Amino acid sequence: MTSLRLYQLPRQCLRWAGYRTLSTYTLRDAVQRGAPIDVHPEVQDALAHGQPVVALETTIVTHGMPYPTNLTTARSVEKNVRANEAIPATIGLIQGRVKIVSRRDIGATIALKKDGGTTCSATLIFAVLAGIKVFATGGLGGVHRGGENTMDVSADLHELSRCSVGLVSAGVKSILDIGRTLEYLETLGVPVVSYGETNDFPAFYTRKSGFKSPWQVSDPASAARILHSQQQLGMSNGTLFAVPIPEKYEAVGQKLQESVEVALAEAEQKGINRLGKEATPWLLKRVGELTEGKSLASNVALIENTARVGARIAKAYSQLAKDMGMSGPQTDNDMSRSEISTSAFRTLLQSTSEGADKASTHSPPNKPAGRLVVVGASAIDITSQANTDDPSVSLHSTVPGTVTTSLGGVARNMAEAAHRMLTSASSALEDATVLVSPIGRDAFGKMLVNETEQLGMRSDGFLHVNDGRTAVCNMVLDGSGGLTGGVADMDIVQSVSATQVLDIIRVHEPKIIAVDGNLGEDTVQAIVEHSTREDIQVFFEPTSVVKSTRVLPAVKASIDTLNGNRPPIAYISPNILELSSIYQAVRTNDLTAHDAWWRIIDDMAVGSEFRLDLEHLARRDACETNRDKGTLSFLVNDGVAQMAINLLPFFQHIIIKCGQLGVIVVFRAEKGSPWSQERTNIRSRQVVAHGKTGQSLVLKHYPARLLDVSSIVNVTGAGDSLVGSLLASLVQAPRSFQDSAELDRIVGIAQKAAIATLQSRLAVAPSLSTLFQLRM
């Protein structure tokens, strides 16, 4: 359970004030009543923007399959949902001992702080509460054989009759009475729709049960229209979409059904069928034994298949809702990110000291060594906005408005972006990113730990400072969104000692270390010196003009050992202002007067031909589709190219963030790399010079991607997302800059990551987990 990302984790007690149809409750209602519901930011963001989301249950992990198949399948199901352009929302209960959970167990399980996987019925409850329209599972519960006498009927059916969700399954479990289940669904008013070429109702392991569905569709758009029609009419019941198992499993399915009948007979003989909910896992286990594991393969196949179909229906529903002019969430059961964050924040401030102690000593066991370590600032961003833009209203006193909280900090943002990208590439990389950042032993520190864990990220790199305050940036906006003032309390980042950071780095021995400019100069220098000794690449993110020069003491300390192959800093990602600041500081400190600097500059052989090529490139439009952005003349006229080339002895790769003018990369390619065969190509926006000792100087421009300015909702984390994406690529392929095609690919992905964050309300767009599949 702990390895699976759980997107909805109720932790105390849901209190229902009398019985009402569940669809009349909203997430806002639940939180206002004190319900401890945490919705993963990725799911929040998708729901808030009307993007497709698919709910997934967790009995597959707790009871449905043996380990490690259960975990592998759960991850595969999530991956299938993402591959079909939807967001997986895996639902479960965590805190204590694992037990199976159905509707009757929810209140007790949460109140007693137990753990549990959710069955269909419980998943339906939480899905409709969050506003998720599609739920994919393996098999629906139903009327048990002999149910006409025992009255043994699954709670799944009743819950489906009052939860307005499209449930996608491979029919009902084959151990049940399918005919009576269909009759009961009809009585409850639940539409049953076969999803396929015929209206045959599937029987879990087999494609036909001998029964017919009253309705049939064969494409996701038709299924989406059914859900949308019910939504328009305000109907509270759900819909069952029965998806047959893939055809290649049909033959073995017939034999599996024979084993099912044997298992049922044994259950009756042993009295297992009278044990209620314990009968189903026993029967599934027994079928697996009788079939020598063949049922497990079919089980995995059908749940993976329903996940694919569910994602396609969710995507079609999302598109249909947008086409119909609906914006934002497609149900009333939504709560905005800001409302959830503020509510969680208030709850956090009321947390017990016992909880704070637990957070401060948290260190997840059995984590693998990180391949990427990101060191720097993590912060809580608090934004306060007045409800009025009346100039007569003074903001020097308390006024009505909204207060929202979210996670921030340059290092944290880069780490989240890299984590999302790496996890989307491979589940084996989900723990590859380690964030090393100081936090106080206070409520804000606990909030950072809790929310970081809910993102699926590691929290074992947090450095707890006993007498420090967790970094907070508090901004006050007027009614029009203009900044009227604010306070940034970031002192804690300067308190990090080199010893603390190096102790963590030595544990992980990463391939690459990313450092943000919030750290003190001594700590940056210690990291660089250690990385040089241990052959670890350093990526420096300047953060701001003021902080950009904090890397120079490390550069100065290593200048006597400079050589043509290994500068002290492998990568740096300034904007144009930061680049200028670093260049002027280098000149002021006479670092360009050192013999080693002259030797490397001379080896690059930057002659008249290179300068002429650069002038030709400077005449190109910055954006081929929008001439209003001007040309690349700033490369020459503002000295951008000259400054970057003069810094190459200290920084091997310089990635210059130019905003709406795109990205410029300037670097020294290694001797013998594919760049040795490349030439200047103005059409491809690259200028290349080959040095005296075999290295190549490369300057390449990447135009900004097309973006509708009206879609921009946040500008704070785009640069961090770009850098985080590059870090993820470099973890997998450290030599990406040494090949032209590979460089084009990873910069293109990074630009898309930046755009995604510009269009998200969060500091890092949750969609980074779904938009990009990095190549191993």
Side-chain angles (χ1 to χ4, degrees):
M1 284 288 285
T2 56
S3 297
L4 179 65
R5 296 189 305 278
L6 296 168
Y7 295 126
Q8 294 220 61
L9 310 177
R11 296 184 188 277
Q12 294 174 6
C13 183
L14 290 173
R15 296 173 181 169
W16 307 99
Y19 176 79
R20 287 194 293 167
T21 302
L22 182 58
S23 61
T24 64
Y25 281 97
T26 67
L27 194 55
R28 182 181 292 104
D29 292 332
V31 173
Q32 288 177 347
R33 291 175 182 273
I37 300 176
D38 300 322
V39 182
H40 191 281
E42 182 179 22
V43 178
Q44 293 172 23
D45 194 66
L47 290 171
H49 290 85
Q51 299 301 312
V53 178
V54 178
L56 302 170
E57 59 164 293
T58 42
T59 49
I60 188 176
V61 178
T62 58
H63 284 65
M65 297 178 181
Y67 179 84
T69 305
N70 54 354
L71 184 56
T72 302
T73 303
R75 287 173 170 166
S76 175
V77 167
E78 285 192 345
K79 188 174 182 180
N80 282 353
V81 171
R82 294 187 188 281
N84 287 276
E85 302 181 59
I87 304 295
T90 303
I91 297 174
L93 299 157
I94 288 186
Q95 195 163 1
R97 186 171 56 83
V98 174
K99 66 173 295 211
I100 200 71
V101 176
S102 187
R103 165 184 266 277
R104 69 174 191 181
D105 300 313
I106 291 174
T109 301
I110 299 173
L112 298 177
K113 298 184 179 180
K114 302 294 184 179
D115 288 359
T118 50
T119 60
C120 280
S121 60
T123 307
L124 283 165
I125 290 171
F126 295 124
V128 75
L129 191 65
I132 300 172
K133 291 300 298 180
V134 178
F135 164 31
T137 185
L140 178 69
V143 179
H144 284 253
R145 301 200 185 193
E148 69 275 16
N149 298 315
T150 64
M151 300 301 293
D152 192 353
V153 180
S154 171
D156 296 354
L157 304 186
H158 284 273
E159 221 55 68
L160 186 57
S161 73
R162 53 196 174 200
C163 292
S164 55
V165 173
L167 190 150
V168 183
S169 77
V172 299
K173 296 180 178 70
S174 58
I175 58 176
L176 304 175
D177 189 324
I178 295 176
R180 285 189 169 87
T181 298
L182 291 174
E183 289 179 6
Y184 199 42
L185 285 171
E186 182 179 355
T187 300
L188 294 173
V190 175
V192 177
V193 184
S194 285
Y195 188 97
E197 299 304 320
T198 71
N199 66 340
D200 288 297
F201 188 82
F204 202 64
Y205 293 128
T206 60
R207 295 173 62 83
K208 297 180 180 181
S209 65
F211 296 92
K212 302 289 185 180
S213 298
W215 301 100
Q216 175 262 330
V217 298
S218 57
D219 60 276
S222 298
R225 283 195 293 271
I226 293 174
L227 295 178
H228 190 262
S229 297
Q230 289 183 304
Q231 180 73 22
Q232 288 178 311
L233 295 171
M235 299 177 69
S236 61
N237 60 281
T239 300
L240 173 60
F241 293 102
V243 182
I245 192 171
E247 287 188 24
K248 69 176 182 177
Y249 293 91
E250 177 66 14
V252 70
Q254 298 294 339
K255 296 181 179 179
L256 292 177
Q257 190 57 40
E258 295 175 5
S259 298
V260 167
E261 300 300 330
V262 172
L264 286 165
E266 291 181 0
E268 186 172 355
Q269 293 170 2
K270 297 180 180 181
I272 301 294
N273 60 332
R274 294 189 293 274
L275 296 181
K277 66 176 185 176
E278 295 178 17
T280 297
W282 185 92
L283 284 166
L284 293 176
K285 179 181 178 182
R286 182 56 181 147
V287 170
E289 293 170 348
L290 292 170
T291 60
E292 299 179 343
K294 293 180 181 178
S295 64
L296 184 58
S298 292
N299 223 340
V300 171
L302 64 87
I303 183 61
E304 289 180 339
N305 189 48
T306 58
R308 282 188 288 267
V309 173
R312 292 165 188 164
I313 294 175
K315 180 182 177 182
Y317 182 90
S318 172
Q319 187 59 54
L320 178 61
K322 291 175 181 177
D323 292 343
M324 295 293 288
M326 297 171 63
S327 60
Q330 303 310 320
T331 77
D332 292 333
N333 297 330
D334 177 72
M335 188 173 182
S336 70
R337 165 68 179 171
S338 61
E339 289 171 319
I340 291 175
S341 295
T342 305
S343 177
F345 174 61
R346 290 170 180 159
T347 302
L348 175 64
L349 294 181
Q350 299 168 359
S351 62
T352 63
S353 58
E354 178 183 357
D357 290 342
K358 180 180 178 182
S360 65
T361 58
H362 179 78
S363 180
N366 304 320
K367 293 287 187 181
R371 297 167 67 176
L372 166 65
V373 170
V374 184
V375 189
S378 295
I380 297 296
D381 291 338
I382 304 176
T383 303
S384 306
Q385 183 170 8
N387 278 348
T388 176
D389 53 7
D390 185 347
S392 65
V393 176
S394 172
L395 293 183
H396 296 288
S397 62
T398 302
V399 298
T402 58
V403 178
T404 63
T405 63
S406 60
L407 303 187
V410 173
R412 196 218 66 83
N413 293 346
M414 294 191 301
E416 181 185 345
H419 166 76
R420 289 185 178 280
M421 305 285 282
L422 288 169
T423 303
S424 71
S426 170
S427 59
L429 295 173
E430 65 180 2
D431 289 321
T433 305
V434 178
L435 171 62
V436 179
S437 188
I439 59 175
R441 295 183 182 274
D442 51 19
F444 290 119
K446 182 182 177 184
M447 184 177 184
L448 269 169
V449 171
N450 290 344
E451 298 235 355
T452 296
E453 291 175 348
Q454 288 194 35
L455 288 170
M457 296 173 62
R458 299 176 67 145
S459 62
D460 52 330
F462 282 121
L463 300 170
H464 299 275
V465 181
N466 288 327
D467 56 351
R469 299 182 304 276
T470 299
V472 175
C473 182
N474 183 13
M475 295 173 288
V476 180
L477 310 179
D478 59 26
S480 301
L483 180 66
T484 64
V487 174
D489 183 357
M490 305 293 290
D491 290 348
I492 193 171
V493 186
Q494 292 285 313
S495 71
V496 176
S497 71
T499 301
Q500 290 175 298
V501 175
L502 292 180
D503 283 346
I504 295 178
I505 290 174
R506 290 188 184 100
V507 169
H508 295 282
E509 299 180 352
K511 289 185 175 182
I512 187 167
I513 299 174
V515 178
D516 81 21
N518 288 294
L519 292 174
E521 292 179 351
D522 292 343
T523 303
V524 173
Q525 182 173 335
I527 293 172
V528 172
E529 290 175 352
H530 173 82
S531 300
T532 301
R533 289 193 303 269
E534 301 299 325
D535 196 28
I536 301 171
Q537 292 189 324
V538 174
F539 195 124
F540 183 74
E541 163 52 44
T543 306
S544 70
V545 171
V546 173
K547 301 169 185 176
S548 62
T549 57
R550 290 181 179 174
V551 72
L552 293 187
V555 170
K556 188 174 182 178
S558 62
I559 196 167
D560 290 329
T561 60
L562 285 181
N563 56 63
N565 297 317
R566 179 67 189 272
I569 309 298
Y571 302 90
I572 187 170
S573 53
N575 59 30
I576 293 177
L577 292 176
E578 292 161 354
L579 177 75
S580 178
S581 173
I582 295 169
Y583 174 73
Q584 296 301 329
V586 164
R587 293 289 299 271
T588 301
N589 285 278
D590 292 329
L591 296 182
T592 56
H594 198 282
D595 288 343
W597 181 86
W598 281 105
R599 185 177 64 253
I600 295 170
I601 290 294
D602 181 63
D603 177 68
M604 286 191 282
V606 181
S608 58
E609 183 179 356
F610 183 91
R611 287 191 289 271
L612 183 61
D613 290 339
L614 189 60
E615 289 177 358
H616 287 158
L617 178 61
R619 298 190 189 106
R620 292 291 305 270
D621 290 331
C623 179
E624 294 178 345
T625 59
N626 185 358
R627 303 197 67 179
D628 292 341
K629 292 185 178 181
T631 68
L632 297 178
S633 59
F634 66 92
L635 283 172
V636 175
N637 295 346
D638 297 343
V640 170
Q642 178 194 24
M643 290 187 291
I645 292 170
N646 277 275
L647 291 175
L648 284 179
F650 313 123
F651 310 101
Q652 185 171 357
H653 309 87
I654 304 176
I655 302 102
I656 308 171
K657 296 172 288 190
C658 305
Q660 64 175 355
L661 298 178
V663 175
I664 296 169
V665 293
V666 186
F667 61 97
R668 286 186 288 151
E670 299 172 2
K671 179 180 179 181
S673 75
W675 282 106
S676 63
Q677 305 300 318
E678 293 278 348
R679 295 291 182 268
T680 292
N681 187 331
I682 302 302
R683 180 179 292 274
S684 298
R685 299 174 178 264
Q686 69 183 36
V687 179
V688 182
H690 300 297
K692 297 177 180 178
T693 59
Q695 291 193 350
S696 301
L697 166 62
V698 180
L699 184 150
K700 189 160 187 174
H701 173 251
Y702 292 89
R705 301 249 167 175
L706 290 177
L707 174 65
D708 182 357
V709 176
S710 64
S711 70
I712 297 176
V713 297
N714 168 36
V715 297
T716 59
D720 299 340
S721 293
L722 183 141
V723 173
S725 174
L726 290 174
L727 289 169
S729 294
L730 291 169
V731 166
Q732 297 181 96
R735 296 178 56 80
S736 295
F737 276 70
Q738 302 304 313
D739 179 84
S740 177
E742 184 66 8
L743 178 62
D744 291 350
R745 186 185 73 85
I746 69 169
V747 173
I749 291 175
Q751 288 181 298
K752 290 180 180 177
I755 287 177
T757 290
L758 286 171
Q759 297 172 321
S760 172
R761 290 173 297 167
L762 304 181
V764 176
S767 59
L768 266 62
S769 299
T770 60
L771 292 180
F772 316 113
Q773 295 292 323
L774 304 183
R775 187 176 67 199
M776 293 295 292

